[in-house]
Amino acid sequence: MAKDTVRYPDDVVEEIDALVEDGMFESKSEFYRFSAEYVLTLINPDHEAETFNFDEIKAELDIDDEVHARALGADGGTFFLDAVINVRKHGLRGDYEAAERFIDTHYESTDQECIILEELLGTYRTRS
């Protein structure tokens, strides 16, 4: 299993810590693994999650289609999906700075979408 270092805003880490303390997730690592896999399933319906107990965690969180729709945003995910494609394109080409500029100019650092895009970009960095 690969190890990846990612920076998150302090407020985000505090919320994740609270979820772990409340027992919603066994550990921060479980949260991060589940979150990354969950986003991948949103982006690619054919993605098969490899995270241990992914389906059980998803069921415990009671995530349904309405939650998926809200995660994509009021525009049905069109802009966000375009952003994912843009970040993916730059990531595949190794042009990480261009992807970072795109994210920074379109999102606030604490936006949910920003965090997801940064996580996606991180996957391309680890591949190189």
Side-chain angles (χ1 to χ4, degrees):
M1 186 177 286
K3 183 176 179 180
D4 195 8
T5 303
V6 181
R7 295 185 182 273
Y8 293 97
D10 292 337
D11 293 344
V12 172
V13 174
E14 289 172 12
E15 288 188 43
I16 294 167
D17 286 341
L19 292 173
V20 172
E21 287 175 23
D22 290 344
M24 189 168 287
F25 290 91
E26 186 175 302
S27 65
K28 288 169 69 169
S29 293
E30 182 183 66
F31 173 87
Y32 292 125
R33 283 190 295 271
F34 173 82
S35 299
E37 292 267 49
Y38 178 69
V39 170
L40 290 172
T41 62
L42 288 176
I43 295 168
N44 178 4
D46 294 330
H47 175 76
E48 292 189 30
E50 295 180 22
T51 299
F52 182 70
N53 289 339
F54 178 84
D55 291 328
E56 290 84 359
I57 295 168
K58 186 176 173 188
E60 286 178 24
L61 295 174
D62 197 26
I63 297 174
D64 60 17
D65 291 337
E66 184 179 322
V67 174
H68 282 269
R70 279 199 310 267
L72 293 175
D75 67 349
T78 305
F79 180 77
F80 179 67
L81 291 177
D82 287 343
V84 168
I85 291 166
N86 194 323
V87 170
R88 181 178 184 274
K89 177 181 71 175
H90 291 302
L92 286 170
R93 294 177 180 163
D95 193 357
Y96 310 125
E97 290 178 6
E100 288 171 345
R101 277 193 305 276
F102 175 83
I103 294 168
D104 291 344
T105 58
H106 291 87
Y107 295 94
E108 292 292 322
S109 64
T110 57
D111 285 352
Q112 193 175 38
E113 293 88 354
C114 177
I115 295 166
I116 293 167
L117 292 171
E118 288 176 345
E119 186 74 22
L120 174 63
L121 181 58
T123 64
Y124 291 105
R125 283 189 170 118
T126 59
R127 289 182 184 174
S128 61

mmCIF file of all heavy atoms in Angstrom, residues 33-79:
data_model
loop_
_atom_site.group_PDB
_atom_site.id
_atom_site.type_symbol
_atom_site.label_atom_id
_atom_site.label_comp_id
_atom_site.label_asym_id
_atom_site.label_seq_id
_atom_site.Cartn_x
_atom_site.Cartn_y
_atom_site.Cartn_z
ATOM 1 N N ARG A 33 -9.115 6.983 3.629
ATOM 2 C CA ARG A 33 -9.240 5.920 2.618
ATOM 3 C C ARG A 33 -10.667 5.853 2.087
ATOM 4 O O ARG A 33 -10.895 5.790 0.879
ATOM 5 C CB ARG A 33 -8.814 4.562 3.197
ATOM 6 C CG ARG A 33 -7.311 4.389 3.309
ATOM 7 C CD ARG A 33 -6.940 2.948 3.642
ATOM 8 N NE ARG A 33 -7.406 2.548 4.961
ATOM 9 C CZ ARG A 33 -6.705 2.712 6.089
ATOM 10 N NH1 ARG A 33 -5.504 3.243 6.044
ATOM 11 N NH2 ARG A 33 -7.200 2.325 7.244
ATOM 12 N N PHE A 34 -11.642 5.866 3.005
ATOM 13 C CA PHE A 34 -13.035 5.810 2.580
ATOM 14 C C PHE A 34 -13.376 7.026 1.717
ATOM 15 O O PHE A 34 -14.007 6.882 0.663
ATOM 16 C CB PHE A 34 -13.987 5.748 3.785
ATOM 17 C CG PHE A 34 -15.431 5.849 3.373
ATOM 18 C CD1 PHE A 34 -16.099 4.724 2.915
ATOM 19 C CD2 PHE A 34 -16.093 7.064 3.403
ATOM 20 C CE1 PHE A 34 -17.422 4.809 2.496
ATOM 21 C CE2 PHE A 34 -17.414 7.160 2.987
ATOM 22 C CZ PHE A 34 -18.084 6.029 2.540
ATOM 23 N N SER A 35 -12.970 8.197 2.145
ATOM 24 C CA SER A 35 -13.298 9.424 1.412
ATOM 25 C C SER A 35 -12.755 9.399 -0.007
ATOM 26 O O SER A 35 -13.462 9.755 -0.963
ATOM 27 C CB SER A 35 -12.743 10.649 2.149
ATOM 28 O OG SER A 35 -13.312 10.742 3.424
ATOM 29 N N ALA A 36 -11.511 8.990 -0.163
ATOM 30 C CA ALA A 36 -10.905 8.937 -1.495
ATOM 31 C C ALA A 36 -11.650 7.931 -2.378
ATOM 32 O O ALA A 36 -11.975 8.227 -3.535
ATOM 33 C CB ALA A 36 -9.427 8.569 -1.389
ATOM 34 N N GLU A 37 -11.943 6.767 -1.833
ATOM 35 C CA GLU A 37 -12.668 5.756 -2.605
ATOM 36 C C GLU A 37 -14.078 6.236 -2.947
ATOM 37 O O GLU A 37 -14.575 6.010 -4.050
ATOM 38 C CB GLU A 37 -12.749 4.443 -1.833
ATOM 39 C CG GLU A 37 -11.430 3.750 -1.670
ATOM 40 C CD GLU A 37 -11.158 2.745 -2.771
ATOM 41 O OE1 GLU A 37 -11.314 3.064 -3.953
ATOM 42 O OE2 GLU A 37 -10.784 1.623 -2.420
ATOM 43 N N TYR A 38 -14.712 6.904 -2.010
ATOM 44 C CA TYR A 38 -16.068 7.404 -2.243
ATOM 45 C C TYR A 38 -16.082 8.403 -3.400
ATOM 46 O O TYR A 38 -16.926 8.329 -4.290
ATOM 47 C CB TYR A 38 -16.635 8.030 -0.967
ATOM 48 C CG TYR A 38 -18.013 8.596 -1.151
ATOM 49 C CD1 TYR A 38 -19.097 7.753 -1.368
ATOM 50 C CD2 TYR A 38 -18.240 9.956 -1.109
ATOM 51 C CE1 TYR A 38 -20.372 8.258 -1.544
ATOM 52 C CE2 TYR A 38 -19.507 10.472 -1.281
ATOM 53 C CZ TYR A 38 -20.575 9.625 -1.497
ATOM 54 O OH TYR A 38 -21.834 10.136 -1.681
ATOM 55 N N VAL A 39 -15.131 9.318 -3.398
ATOM 56 C CA VAL A 39 -15.044 10.299 -4.482
ATOM 57 C C VAL A 39 -14.792 9.598 -5.811
ATOM 58 O O VAL A 39 -15.391 9.947 -6.833
ATOM 59 C CB VAL A 39 -13.948 11.352 -4.195
ATOM 60 C CG1 VAL A 39 -13.687 12.214 -5.418
ATOM 61 C CG2 VAL A 39 -14.352 12.215 -3.013
ATOM 62 N N LEU A 40 -13.935 8.609 -5.795
ATOM 63 C CA LEU A 40 -13.665 7.868 -7.029
ATOM 64 C C LEU A 40 -14.927 7.192 -7.554
ATOM 65 O O LEU A 40 -15.144 7.140 -8.773
ATOM 66 C CB LEU A 40 -12.550 6.846 -6.812
ATOM 67 C CG LEU A 40 -11.162 7.449 -6.600
ATOM 68 C CD1 LEU A 40 -10.175 6.352 -6.203
ATOM 69 C CD2 LEU A 40 -10.688 8.183 -7.838
ATOM 70 N N THR A 41 -15.790 6.699 -6.657
ATOM 71 C CA THR A 41 -17.040 6.087 -7.112
ATOM 72 C C THR A 41 -18.003 7.133 -7.649
ATOM 73 O O THR A 41 -18.821 6.828 -8.516
ATOM 74 C CB THR A 41 -17.727 5.261 -6.007
ATOM 75 O OG1 THR A 41 -18.082 6.110 -4.919
ATOM 76 C CG2 THR A 41 -16.849 4.121 -5.536
ATOM 77 N N LEU A 42 -17.915 8.368 -7.158
ATOM 78 C CA LEU A 42 -18.742 9.448 -7.702
ATOM 79 C C LEU A 42 -18.289 9.822 -9.104
ATOM 80 O O LEU A 42 -19.106 10.068 -9.991
ATOM 81 C CB LEU A 42 -18.667 10.698 -6.807
ATOM 82 C CG LEU A 42 -19.370 10.658 -5.465
ATOM 83 C CD1 LEU A 42 -19.084 11.936 -4.695
ATOM 84 C CD2 LEU A 42 -20.868 10.456 -5.639
ATOM 85 N N ILE A 43 -16.993 9.868 -9.287
ATOM 86 C CA ILE A 43 -16.429 10.276 -10.573
ATOM 87 C C ILE A 43 -16.566 9.175 -11.609
ATOM 88 O O ILE A 43 -16.868 9.426 -12.779
ATOM 89 C CB ILE A 43 -14.945 10.658 -10.400
ATOM 90 C CG1 ILE A 43 -14.821 11.892 -9.510
ATOM 91 C CG2 ILE A 43 -14.279 10.913 -11.748
ATOM 92 C CD1 ILE A 43 -13.415 12.169 -9.050
ATOM 93 N N ASN A 44 -16.318 7.942 -11.176
ATOM 94 C CA ASN A 44 -16.322 6.805 -12.093
ATOM 95 C C ASN A 44 -17.207 5.697 -11.525
ATOM 96 O O ASN A 44 -16.778 4.960 -10.638
ATOM 97 C CB ASN A 44 -14.894 6.290 -12.295
ATOM 98 C CG ASN A 44 -14.830 5.085 -13.194
ATOM 99 O OD1 ASN A 44 -15.827 4.643 -13.750
ATOM 100 N ND2 ASN A 44 -13.634 4.533 -13.313
ATOM 101 N N PRO A 45 -18.421 5.564 -12.037
ATOM 102 C CA PRO A 45 -19.327 4.539 -11.505
ATOM 103 C C PRO A 45 -18.782 3.115 -11.636
ATOM 104 O O PRO A 45 -19.217 2.219 -10.931
ATOM 105 C CB PRO A 45 -20.595 4.688 -12.350
ATOM 106 C CG PRO A 45 -20.477 5.990 -13.047
ATOM 107 C CD PRO A 45 -19.029 6.347 -13.102
ATOM 108 N N ASP A 46 -17.813 2.907 -12.517
ATOM 109 C CA ASP A 46 -17.222 1.581 -12.685
ATOM 110 C C ASP A 46 -16.101 1.301 -11.692
ATOM 111 O O ASP A 46 -15.584 0.181 -11.646
ATOM 112 C CB ASP A 46 -16.674 1.425 -14.113
ATOM 113 C CG ASP A 46 -17.786 1.453 -15.149
ATOM 114 O OD1 ASP A 46 -18.914 1.019 -14.814
ATOM 115 O OD2 ASP A 46 -17.538 1.920 -16.269
ATOM 116 N N HIS A 47 -15.727 2.318 -10.905
ATOM 117 C CA HIS A 47 -14.646 2.122 -9.931
ATOM 118 C C HIS A 47 -15.100 1.136 -8.861
ATOM 119 O O HIS A 47 -16.181 1.264 -8.295
ATOM 120 C CB HIS A 47 -14.258 3.447 -9.274
ATOM 121 C CG HIS A 47 -13.246 3.280 -8.188
ATOM 122 N ND1 HIS A 47 -11.916 3.054 -8.446
ATOM 123 C CD2 HIS A 47 -13.369 3.265 -6.840
ATOM 124 C CE1 HIS A 47 -11.265 2.926 -7.304
ATOM 125 N NE2 HIS A 47 -12.132 3.032 -6.319
ATOM 126 N N GLU A 48 -14.259 0.145 -8.610
ATOM 127 C CA GLU A 48 -14.549 -0.828 -7.560
ATOM 128 C C GLU A 48 -13.698 -0.505 -6.341
ATOM 129 O O GLU A 48 -12.473 -0.607 -6.378
ATOM 130 C CB GLU A 48 -14.264 -2.241 -8.064
ATOM 131 C CG GLU A 48 -15.229 -2.672 -9.139
ATOM 132 C CD GLU A 48 -15.090 -4.137 -9.487
ATOM 133 O OE1 GLU A 48 -14.716 -4.924 -8.599
ATOM 134 O OE2 GLU A 48 -15.346 -4.458 -10.653
ATOM 135 N N ALA A 49 -14.363 -0.105 -5.279
ATOM 136 C CA ALA A 49 -13.665 0.285 -4.051
ATOM 137 C C ALA A 49 -12.912 -0.899 -3.471
ATOM 138 O O ALA A 49 -13.435 -2.015 -3.401
ATOM 139 C CB ALA A 49 -14.659 0.824 -3.036
ATOM 140 N N GLU A 50 -11.670 -0.651 -3.063
ATOM 141 C CA GLU A 50 -10.828 -1.684 -2.467
ATOM 142 C C GLU A 50 -10.666 -1.493 -0.963
ATOM 143 O O GLU A 50 -10.112 -2.341 -0.285
ATOM 144 C CB GLU A 50 -9.454 -1.681 -3.137
ATOM 145 C CG GLU A 50 -9.506 -2.058 -4.598
ATOM 146 C CD GLU A 50 -8.134 -2.060 -5.246
ATOM 147 O OE1 GLU A 50 -7.124 -2.189 -4.529
ATOM 148 O OE2 GLU A 50 -8.084 -1.933 -6.475
ATOM 149 N N THR A 51 -11.137 -0.369 -0.465
ATOM 150 C CA THR A 51 -11.032 -0.087 0.958
ATOM 151 C C THR A 51 -11.809 -1.128 1.757
ATOM 152 O O THR A 51 -12.954 -1.448 1.432
ATOM 153 C CB THR A 51 -11.579 1.319 1.276
ATOM 154 O OG1 THR A 51 -10.804 2.281 0.573
ATOM 155 C CG2 THR A 51 -11.534 1.623 2.762
ATOM 156 N N PHE A 52 -11.149 -1.664 2.790
ATOM 157 C CA PHE A 52 -11.767 -2.660 3.662
ATOM 158 C C PHE A 52 -13.067 -2.102 4.235
ATOM 159 O O PHE A 52 -13.107 -0.975 4.729
ATOM 160 C CB PHE A 52 -10.794 -3.029 4.781
ATOM 161 C CG PHE A 52 -11.315 -4.078 5.711
ATOM 162 C CD1 PHE A 52 -11.455 -5.393 5.287
ATOM 163 C CD2 PHE A 52 -11.676 -3.751 7.002
ATOM 164 C CE1 PHE A 52 -11.933 -6.368 6.144
ATOM 165 C CE2 PHE A 52 -12.154 -4.718 7.869
ATOM 166 C CZ PHE A 52 -12.284 -6.030 7.432
ATOM 167 N N ASN A 53 -14.135 -2.870 4.138
ATOM 168 C CA ASN A 53 -15.452 -2.511 4.690
ATOM 169 C C ASN A 53 -16.069 -1.268 4.049
ATOM 170 O O ASN A 53 -16.881 -0.597 4.672
ATOM 171 C CB ASN A 53 -15.382 -2.321 6.210
ATOM 172 C CG ASN A 53 -15.196 -3.617 6.943
ATOM 173 O OD1 ASN A 53 -15.495 -4.689 6.419
ATOM 174 N ND2 ASN A 53 -14.698 -3.538 8.161
ATOM 175 N N PHE A 54 -15.708 -0.959 2.813
ATOM 176 C CA PHE A 54 -16.241 0.230 2.144
ATOM 177 C C PHE A 54 -17.768 0.233 2.161
ATOM 178 O O PHE A 54 -18.394 1.219 2.562
ATOM 179 C CB PHE A 54 -15.721 0.326 0.706
ATOM 180 C CG PHE A 54 -16.272 1.506 -0.046
ATOM 181 C CD1 PHE A 54 -15.684 2.750 0.077
ATOM 182 C CD2 PHE A 54 -17.377 1.370 -0.876
ATOM 183 C CE1 PHE A 54 -16.184 3.846 -0.607
ATOM 184 C CE2 PHE A 54 -17.880 2.453 -1.563
ATOM 185 C CZ PHE A 54 -17.284 3.698 -1.437
ATOM 186 N N ASP A 55 -18.379 -0.859 1.712
ATOM 187 C CA ASP A 55 -19.843 -0.921 1.636
ATOM 188 C C ASP A 55 -20.492 -0.811 3.012
ATOM 189 O O ASP A 55 -21.531 -0.157 3.160
ATOM 190 C CB ASP A 55 -20.295 -2.199 0.932
ATOM 191 C CG ASP A 55 -19.936 -2.191 -0.551
ATOM 192 O OD1 ASP A 55 -19.926 -1.092 -1.152
ATOM 193 O OD2 ASP A 55 -19.662 -3.272 -1.101
ATOM 194 N N GLU A 56 -19.872 -1.428 4.012
ATOM 195 C CA GLU A 56 -20.417 -1.354 5.362
ATOM 196 C C GLU A 56 -20.354 0.071 5.906
ATOM 197 O O GLU A 56 -21.301 0.547 6.523
ATOM 198 C CB GLU A 56 -19.669 -2.308 6.304
ATOM 199 C CG GLU A 56 -19.943 -3.773 6.032
ATOM 200 C CD GLU A 56 -19.060 -4.357 4.920
ATOM 201 O OE1 GLU A 56 -18.234 -3.622 4.336
ATOM 202 O OE2 GLU A 56 -19.209 -5.543 4.628
ATOM 203 N N ILE A 57 -19.238 0.744 5.667
ATOM 204 C CA ILE A 57 -19.100 2.128 6.136
ATOM 205 C C ILE A 57 -20.128 3.009 5.435
ATOM 206 O O ILE A 57 -20.807 3.822 6.065
ATOM 207 C CB ILE A 57 -17.669 2.659 5.891
ATOM 208 C CG1 ILE A 57 -16.657 1.891 6.738
ATOM 209 C CG2 ILE A 57 -17.592 4.151 6.189
ATOM 210 C CD1 ILE A 57 -15.211 2.149 6.364
ATOM 211 N N LYS A 58 -20.240 2.831 4.122
ATOM 212 C CA LYS A 58 -21.205 3.620 3.348
ATOM 213 C C LYS A 58 -22.624 3.378 3.868
ATOM 214 O O LYS A 58 -23.396 4.328 4.027
ATOM 215 C CB LYS A 58 -21.097 3.259 1.863
ATOM 216 C CG LYS A 58 -21.943 4.118 0.973
ATOM 217 C CD LYS A 58 -21.709 3.771 -0.488
ATOM 218 C CE LYS A 58 -22.686 4.509 -1.368
ATOM 219 N NZ LYS A 58 -22.616 4.075 -2.752
ATOM 220 N N ALA A 59 -22.951 2.137 4.161
ATOM 221 C CA ALA A 59 -24.280 1.820 4.688
ATOM 222 C C ALA A 59 -24.493 2.452 6.061
ATOM 223 O O ALA A 59 -25.571 2.994 6.341
ATOM 224 C CB ALA A 59 -24.472 0.304 4.761
ATOM 225 N N GLU A 60 -23.475 2.394 6.918
ATOM 226 C CA GLU A 60 -23.582 3.001 8.249
ATOM 227 C C GLU A 60 -23.771 4.510 8.163
ATOM 228 O O GLU A 60 -24.455 5.102 8.989
ATOM 229 C CB GLU A 60 -22.336 2.691 9.076
ATOM 230 C CG GLU A 60 -22.276 1.275 9.576
ATOM 231 C CD GLU A 60 -20.990 0.994 10.349
ATOM 232 O OE1 GLU A 60 -20.387 1.940 10.878
ATOM 233 O OE2 GLU A 60 -20.602 -0.183 10.412
ATOM 234 N N LEU A 61 -23.159 5.132 7.162
ATOM 235 C CA LEU A 61 -23.300 6.576 6.986
ATOM 236 C C LEU A 61 -24.629 6.931 6.329
ATOM 237 O O LEU A 61 -24.987 8.094 6.240
ATOM 238 C CB LEU A 61 -22.135 7.129 6.142
ATOM 239 C CG LEU A 61 -20.759 7.009 6.780
ATOM 240 C CD1 LEU A 61 -19.689 7.462 5.796
ATOM 241 C CD2 LEU A 61 -20.693 7.832 8.057
ATOM 242 N N ASP A 62 -25.359 5.904 5.870
ATOM 243 C CA ASP A 62 -26.670 6.075 5.245
ATOM 244 C C ASP A 62 -26.599 7.050 4.067
ATOM 245 O O ASP A 62 -27.403 7.964 3.943
ATOM 246 C CB ASP A 62 -27.690 6.551 6.289
ATOM 247 C CG ASP A 62 -29.119 6.360 5.811
ATOM 248 O OD1 ASP A 62 -29.347 5.470 4.969
ATOM 249 O OD2 ASP A 62 -29.999 7.120 6.260
ATOM 250 N N ILE A 63 -25.607 6.835 3.199
ATOM 251 C CA ILE A 63 -25.443 7.667 2.008
ATOM 252 C C ILE A 63 -26.380 7.131 0.934
ATOM 253 O O ILE A 63 -26.335 5.963 0.582
ATOM 254 C CB ILE A 63 -23.981 7.642 1.517
ATOM 255 C CG1 ILE A 63 -23.067 8.246 2.581
ATOM 256 C CG2 ILE A 63 -23.840 8.385 0.202
ATOM 257 C CD1 ILE A 63 -21.590 8.130 2.267
ATOM 258 N N ASP A 64 -27.236 8.012 0.423
ATOM 259 C CA ASP A 64 -28.169 7.594 -0.621
ATOM 260 C C ASP A 64 -28.026 8.477 -1.858
ATOM 261 O O ASP A 64 -27.164 9.354 -1.916
ATOM 262 C CB ASP A 64 -29.603 7.595 -0.090
ATOM 263 C CG ASP A 64 -30.051 8.974 0.382
ATOM 264 O OD1 ASP A 64 -29.410 9.991 0.028
ATOM 265 O OD2 ASP A 64 -31.050 9.047 1.114
ATOM 266 N N ASP A 65 -28.870 8.256 -2.850
ATOM 267 C CA ASP A 65 -28.779 8.998 -4.108
ATOM 268 C C ASP A 65 -28.961 10.493 -3.917
ATOM 269 O O ASP A 65 -28.346 11.294 -4.614
ATOM 270 C CB ASP A 65 -29.802 8.471 -5.116
ATOM 271 C CG ASP A 65 -29.462 7.076 -5.598
ATOM 272 O OD1 ASP A 65 -28.268 6.690 -5.516
ATOM 273 O OD2 ASP A 65 -30.376 6.373 -6.059
ATOM 274 N N GLU A 66 -29.801 10.894 -2.978
ATOM 275 C CA GLU A 66 -30.010 12.320 -2.725
ATOM 276 C C GLU A 66 -28.719 12.967 -2.211
ATOM 277 O O GLU A 66 -28.363 14.075 -2.600
ATOM 278 C CB GLU A 66 -31.145 12.510 -1.715
ATOM 279 C CG GLU A 66 -31.498 13.966 -1.468
ATOM 280 C CD GLU A 66 -32.645 14.112 -0.492
ATOM 281 O OE1 GLU A 66 -33.590 13.286 -0.551
ATOM 282 O OE2 GLU A 66 -32.595 15.047 0.332
ATOM 283 N N VAL A 67 -28.018 12.252 -1.352
ATOM 284 C CA VAL A 67 -26.740 12.757 -0.840
ATOM 285 C C VAL A 67 -25.734 12.860 -1.990
ATOM 286 O O VAL A 67 -24.991 13.842 -2.089
ATOM 287 C CB VAL A 67 -26.203 11.852 0.289
ATOM 288 C CG1 VAL A 67 -24.812 12.275 0.714
ATOM 289 C CG2 VAL A 67 -27.153 11.875 1.472
ATOM 290 N N HIS A 68 -25.724 11.869 -2.873
ATOM 291 C CA HIS A 68 -24.846 11.922 -4.042
ATOM 292 C C HIS A 68 -25.137 13.173 -4.858
ATOM 293 O O HIS A 68 -24.229 13.876 -5.282
ATOM 294 C CB HIS A 68 -25.042 10.690 -4.939
ATOM 295 C CG HIS A 68 -24.375 9.464 -4.446
ATOM 296 N ND1 HIS A 68 -23.105 9.117 -4.800
ATOM 297 C CD2 HIS A 68 -24.809 8.488 -3.621
ATOM 298 C CE1 HIS A 68 -22.773 7.980 -4.222
ATOM 299 N NE2 HIS A 68 -23.789 7.579 -3.501
ATOM 300 N N ALA A 69 -26.422 13.453 -5.098
ATOM 301 C CA ALA A 69 -26.807 14.620 -5.899
ATOM 302 C C ALA A 69 -26.349 15.908 -5.228
ATOM 303 O O ALA A 69 -25.839 16.821 -5.887
ATOM 304 C CB ALA A 69 -28.318 14.634 -6.114
ATOM 305 N N ARG A 70 -26.506 15.986 -3.898
ATOM 306 C CA ARG A 70 -26.041 17.187 -3.190
ATOM 307 C C ARG A 70 -24.529 17.320 -3.277
ATOM 308 O O ARG A 70 -23.991 18.407 -3.381
ATOM 309 C CB ARG A 70 -26.489 17.139 -1.732
ATOM 310 C CG ARG A 70 -27.917 17.566 -1.527
ATOM 311 C CD ARG A 70 -28.192 17.962 -0.086
ATOM 312 N NE ARG A 70 -27.754 16.999 0.891
ATOM 313 C CZ ARG A 70 -28.510 16.030 1.401
ATOM 314 N NH1 ARG A 70 -29.751 15.876 1.009
ATOM 315 N NH2 ARG A 70 -28.029 15.205 2.306
ATOM 316 N N ALA A 71 -23.812 16.203 -3.247
ATOM 317 C CA ALA A 71 -22.351 16.235 -3.334
ATOM 318 C C ALA A 71 -21.900 16.790 -4.678
ATOM 319 O O ALA A 71 -20.869 17.442 -4.778
ATOM 320 C CB ALA A 71 -21.773 14.839 -3.123
ATOM 321 N N LEU A 72 -22.687 16.537 -5.708
ATOM 322 C CA LEU A 72 -22.339 17.052 -7.034
ATOM 323 C C LEU A 72 -22.678 18.523 -7.193
ATOM 324 O O LEU A 72 -22.153 19.188 -8.059
ATOM 325 C CB LEU A 72 -23.058 16.236 -8.118
ATOM 326 C CG LEU A 72 -22.598 14.796 -8.247
ATOM 327 C CD1 LEU A 72 -23.463 14.078 -9.266
ATOM 328 C CD2 LEU A 72 -21.139 14.727 -8.642
ATOM 329 N N GLY A 73 -23.569 19.056 -6.375
ATOM 330 C CA GLY A 73 -23.884 20.475 -6.432
ATOM 331 C C GLY A 73 -25.175 20.754 -7.171
ATOM 332 O O GLY A 73 -25.747 19.891 -7.842
ATOM 333 N N ALA A 74 -25.630 21.997 -7.057
ATOM 334 C CA ALA A 74 -26.901 22.407 -7.636
ATOM 335 C C ALA A 74 -26.897 22.333 -9.157
ATOM 336 O O ALA A 74 -27.950 22.222 -9.783
ATOM 337 C CB ALA A 74 -27.240 23.827 -7.185
ATOM 338 N N ASP A 75 -25.732 22.419 -9.769
ATOM 339 C CA ASP A 75 -25.666 22.380 -11.236
ATOM 340 C C ASP A 75 -25.626 20.948 -11.759
ATOM 341 O O ASP A 75 -25.336 20.719 -12.930
ATOM 342 C CB ASP A 75 -24.465 23.164 -11.744
ATOM 343 C CG ASP A 75 -23.136 22.514 -11.373
ATOM 344 O OD1 ASP A 75 -23.127 21.581 -10.553
ATOM 345 O OD2 ASP A 75 -22.109 22.939 -11.922
ATOM 346 N N GLY A 76 -25.917 19.978 -10.890
ATOM 347 C CA GLY A 76 -25.873 18.589 -11.313
ATOM 348 C C GLY A 76 -24.462 18.083 -11.441
ATOM 349 O O GLY A 76 -24.211 17.022 -11.972
ATOM 350 N N GLY A 77 -23.515 18.852 -10.958
ATOM 351 C CA GLY A 77 -22.133 18.428 -11.001
ATOM 352 C C GLY A 77 -21.393 18.834 -12.253
ATOM 353 O O GLY A 77 -20.233 18.494 -12.417
ATOM 354 N N THR A 78 -22.062 19.556 -13.156
ATOM 355 C CA THR A 78 -21.436 19.889 -14.433
ATOM 356 C C THR A 78 -20.122 20.628 -14.250
ATOM 357 O O THR A 78 -19.099 20.196 -14.774
ATOM 358 C CB THR A 78 -22.397 20.720 -15.303
ATOM 359 O OG1 THR A 78 -23.613 19.994 -15.449
ATOM 360 C CG2 THR A 78 -21.798 20.984 -16.662
ATOM 361 N N PHE A 79 -20.109 21.729 -13.497
ATOM 362 C CA PHE A 79 -18.867 22.477 -13.332
ATOM 363 C C PHE A 79 -17.848 21.649 -12.564
ATOM 364 O O PHE A 79 -16.684 21.609 -12.927
ATOM 365 C CB PHE A 79 -19.074 23.825 -12.636
ATOM 366 C CG PHE A 79 -17.773 24.561 -12.478
ATOM 367 C CD1 PHE A 79 -17.198 25.211 -13.558
ATOM 368 C CD2 PHE A 79 -17.092 24.556 -11.274
ATOM 369 C CE1 PHE A 79 -15.967 25.858 -13.441
ATOM 370 C CE2 PHE A 79 -15.865 25.196 -11.148
ATOM 371 C CZ PHE A 79 -15.316 25.846 -12.234
#
